[in-house]
Amino acid sequence: MELRSWAYADIQSIAELEKECFSDPWNFRMLADSFVSENTITSCAVQDGEIAGYGFAVTAGEDADIANIAVAPQYRRQGIAGAILEYLSMQAAKSGVKRLFLEVRVSNAAAMALYIKHGFVGKYARPRYYGDGEDALVMMKELDREETICR
């Protein structure tokens, strides 16, 4: 598996994977707009010539928010989401981010377990955060620049 930042040519495949993985997906235009932003950190995992998973975070000073992480169904449970998460954490730390945030559906126990395994802690709930009315748990990870870069 190759782990790298997105190229513009990846966005169509990422948009298709987004539709496959989420009920309220980002469209091509939204992903492309994020890609060109200087405040966006991207990561994709390429396996056998195709995008197996991707993630991106948006930075704002010393904070960053992981917007999405997704892995294609046929590549799940192989450590790809964790690798993407670590790549985003490392790139965020390099850019001066000290705190990484994310929102996760309260029903998504597998994702919460992944985030906890990678150093995130639950901070508070956002009631009715998702379009279908489900609550989100906001999670945060403190980044240590030296430790994150050395991993």
Side-chain angles (χ1 to χ4, degrees):
M1 174 185 70
E2 174 192 4
L3 203 56
R4 60 171 172 76
S5 295
W6 301 359
Y8 187 81
D10 297 327
I11 298 173
Q12 187 60 50
S13 295
I14 289 168
E16 291 301 316
L17 184 53
E18 178 83 4
K19 283 191 274 189
E20 186 177 353
C21 294
F22 297 107
S23 59
D24 187 19
W26 290 49
N27 62 37
F28 177 89
R29 171 64 123 186
M30 294 163 71
L31 291 165
D33 287 348
S34 293
F35 172 77
V36 298
S37 170
E38 64 185 32
N39 296 329
T40 301
I41 299 167
T42 64
S43 175
C44 64
V46 179
Q47 182 80 29
D48 301 324
E50 71 177 10
I51 296 195
Y54 68 91
F56 65 107
V58 179
T59 65
E62 293 184 346
D63 294 337
D65 188 59
I66 294 181
N68 272 352
I69 292 180
V71 175
Q74 67 270 32
Y75 293 109
R76 290 183 184 158
R77 312 216 39 84
Q78 298 176 28
I80 293 173
I84 290 168
L85 189 57
E86 287 300 314
Y87 183 93
L88 292 173
S89 295
M90 181 182 69
Q91 295 302 323
K94 283 182 182 178
S95 70
V97 169
K98 296 191 179 188
R99 290 167 300 279
L100 199 52
F101 292 89
L102 59 81
E103 293 86 18
V104 59
R105 286 179 177 272
V106 294
S107 64
N108 194 342
M112 282 187 235
L114 170 75
Y115 300 139
I116 290 167
K117 179 181 176 183
H118 288 275
F120 284 82
V121 295
K123 297 307 270 184
Y124 56 90
R126 284 197 170 142
R128 297 171 302 286
Y129 179 76
Y130 294 99
D132 62 4
E134 186 171 357
D135 297 348
L137 174 64
V138 175
M139 300 184 81
M140 184 193 76
K141 177 181 181 178
E142 296 275 350
L143 298 180
D144 177 333
R145 187 170 191 273
E146 294 302 317
E147 179 181 318
T148 303
I149 291 171
C150 293
R151 284 187 192 167

